[in-house]
Amino acid sequence: PDQDHLLAVVEHLYLLQDLDESGGVVAAGLEVEEFAAYFWDVESGMLPPELRGLGPQAMYDALDVPVPRDGGLQDLIDRAELMNITHVLAERSDRVARAMLTSLTVEHGLKKLSVEAVYANEPTGGTESGRLRVRLYGQAEGEIYRAVMLEQSTGGQIQHAVQGHNHGYPPYPYKAVIDENAPDPGRNRFGRQQPKKKLVPHDDERRFPAARALCRLRREEHLKGGEIVRILSAGPKKYPIETEWTRNRVEGLIANPKLAGHQVYNRKAARTGREGTSRWNPISEWAWSPKPVHAAVVSLEEWKLAQEVTAALRGGDHSPLLRVHAAACRRGLTVTEISTSGAHAVYQRGARTVVVPTPIPDTVAQHLIEDMEGTR
């Protein structure tokens, strides 16, 4: 709230009689009370106090808010006792935090310092139980509003991907360019919003075949990340890279469905409770563009097979079925399971249908591989 609003709150709370020339409050039978400082920030109210108020001063200056600023929420908590603050005034409880636990924690911390949190939208007088009921209702409403915002934000990000626009840093064989056909994003309180971008092939034409080669090494040769890194590093002219090939970069590219021409959102959960960590979401929770929206390095079927090989390698599985898949890829064929009875499975291999025991014995797998390699 602005300064006039804060003064009105103090008038209501302290039976204001007069203001002295310095802006202090002269209350009946009380000493002059003054506003010691103004603390506010503009980072998300869903963040904990220690992660708020960290924006550069230039950002706050650009907002041109007519209220002075002596720091953010964490600064208030750190300096409340040193500044001999007795009361903290805010417009309402969700201005402290959208998360109910965070606002309660802040209030509890201030209370231990003998600092009372006062909210302008709460009535004065009455019983303590009534005051507490109003406060908790307000904090619950803030938490619900937080959930609604997350739902709406996630929905917007899903539509962003479905429409073919890129999230994050572009993968190795691509670059991100502004989508001239996208609607104008307009402005918000921080200025003009970032334009929507789409993926196009990188200016270095060697990157597409390089990415295709490393995917093939996993899909057909069943090579592990370290082995692929050695092959790529041995041919810097054929497989260019700004810094160096690493196992994480190779594994990340192989796992990235954007190489199949689709935009995909929600592959990872960034908010895990531990700073700097993320986890993979189940593929059922990924949001895909319904059709390819940029040039593909590999087909979707090739990408899926690469993920199967990766899972098998991580599980120490060099199963006969994977060897059959690899042999089929080398011949430009596909092996697709049509049905299974538990003891036997029916596969479509190219134009032929084969029935094999499950699991496939090594001898049967080798016979299928030799049969495909003899096919012209």
Side-chain angles (χ1 to χ4, degrees):
D2 58 28
Q3 188 166 355
D4 291 338
H5 188 179
L6 288 174
L7 291 175
V9 174
V10 176
E11 178 180 7
H12 184 63
L13 292 172
Y14 294 103
L15 304 177
L16 177 66
Q17 287 187 338
D18 197 7
L19 288 175
D20 66 9
E21 293 181 356
S22 67
V25 179
V26 182
L30 298 176
E31 297 180 358
V32 173
E33 293 194 351
E34 297 179 345
F35 291 105
Y38 299 84
F39 297 92
W40 54 273
D41 51 47
V42 295
E43 283 82 357
S44 171
M46 294 184 287
L47 292 174
E50 66 271 14
L51 297 181
R52 286 161 55 180
L54 302 179
Q57 186 59 41
M59 179 190 74
Y60 286 97
D61 293 340
L63 294 174
D64 196 27
V65 175
V67 177
R69 181 177 184 273
D70 298 287
L73 178 59
Q74 186 61 50
D75 297 303
L76 165 64
I77 296 170
D78 294 339
R79 295 160 58 185
E81 186 173 25
L82 295 175
M83 298 179 67
N84 197 30
I85 294 174
T86 59
H87 297 81
V88 172
L89 278 69
E91 183 182 354
R92 57 184 191 270
S93 60
D94 64 2
R95 296 294 83 197
V96 175
R98 294 291 188 191
M100 189 173 183
L101 177 60
T102 303
S103 61
L104 289 171
T105 302
V106 171
E107 291 173 11
H108 180 69
L110 291 173
K111 188 175 182 179
K112 289 198 299 183
L113 301 175
S114 299
V115 179
E116 181 184 357
V118 180
Y119 299 124
N121 68 331
E122 294 181 353
T124 58
T127 63
E128 174 64 16
S129 60
R131 183 199 65 80
L132 183 61
R133 182 176 292 109
V134 171
R135 177 162 297 189
L136 292 178
Y137 280 166
Q139 291 169 333
E141 284 296 323
E143 184 93 10
I144 294 170
Y145 182 70
R146 171 179 178 263
V148 170
M149 285 198 301
L150 285 174
E151 290 170 351
Q152 292 177 342
S153 174
T154 299
Q157 297 297 333
I158 289 174
Q159 287 303 312
H160 184 84
V162 167
Q163 293 168 10
H165 299 122
N166 187 57
H167 289 85
Y169 193 79
Y172 167 79
Y174 300 99
K175 67 177 183 178
V177 299
I178 295 175
D179 186 355
E180 300 294 345
N181 296 321
D184 185 350
R187 299 177 63 88
N188 59 22
R189 61 179 176 171
F190 297 105
R192 179 160 291 280
Q193 299 182 65
Q194 292 293 322
K196 295 182 180 295
K197 295 185 177 182
K198 60 182 180 181
L199 294 180
V200 297
H202 196 276
D203 294 335
D204 189 338
E205 296 180 354
R206 297 173 295 174
R207 292 197 176 203
F208 246 64
R212 189 174 293 117
L214 73 87
C215 291
R216 184 191 63 79
L217 291 171
R218 169 59 52 81
R219 185 181 65 252
E220 298 183 14
E221 304 298 332
H222 296 195
L223 297 185
K224 295 183 178 180
E227 297 169 322
I228 297 175
V229 167
R230 285 193 291 272
I231 293 174
L232 300 179
S233 300
K237 292 184 177 180
K238 188 176 181 181
Y239 310 113
I241 191 76
E242 299 93 341
T243 52
E244 62 179 0
W245 287 103
T246 63
R247 182 179 177 277
N248 285 343
R249 189 158 195 176
V250 165
E251 295 292 352
L253 276 173
I254 292 171
N256 197 330
K258 293 181 182 180
L259 268 62
H262 291 261
Q263 278 293 346
V264 183
Y265 171 71
N266 200 39
R267 292 192 297 141
K268 289 185 178 181
R271 295 186 178 92
T272 60
R274 293 190 301 166
E275 186 177 354
T277 63
S278 60
R279 63 172 174 78
W280 287 95
N281 288 326
I283 195 169
S284 59
E285 297 180 7
W286 297 6
W288 294 68
S289 60
K291 60 182 180 181
V293 291
H294 52 257
V297 173
V298 295
S299 70
L300 188 57
E301 289 300 321
E302 290 173 328
W303 177 83
K304 290 179 180 178
L305 180 55
Q307 310 319 302
E308 293 176 5
V309 175
T310 297
L313 290 174
R314 289 176 178 171
D317 181 10
H318 300 275
S319 68
L321 180 57
L322 278 178
R323 292 194 289 112
V324 172
H325 274 295
C329 283
R330 288 194 293 269
R331 301 294 301 175
L333 303 173
T334 59
V335 177
T336 305
E337 182 180 294
I338 299 176
S339 63
T340 179
S341 64
H344 291 81
V346 180
Y347 289 91
Q348 185 75 34
R349 190 200 66 191
R352 297 177 59 183
T353 300
V354 294
V355 180
V356 296
T358 56
I360 301 178
D362 285 329
T363 53
V364 174
Q366 187 60 35
H367 175 75
L368 292 172
I369 293 170
E370 292 174 355
D371 183 54
M372 282 188 290
E373 291 176 345
T375 302
R376 293 294 181 264

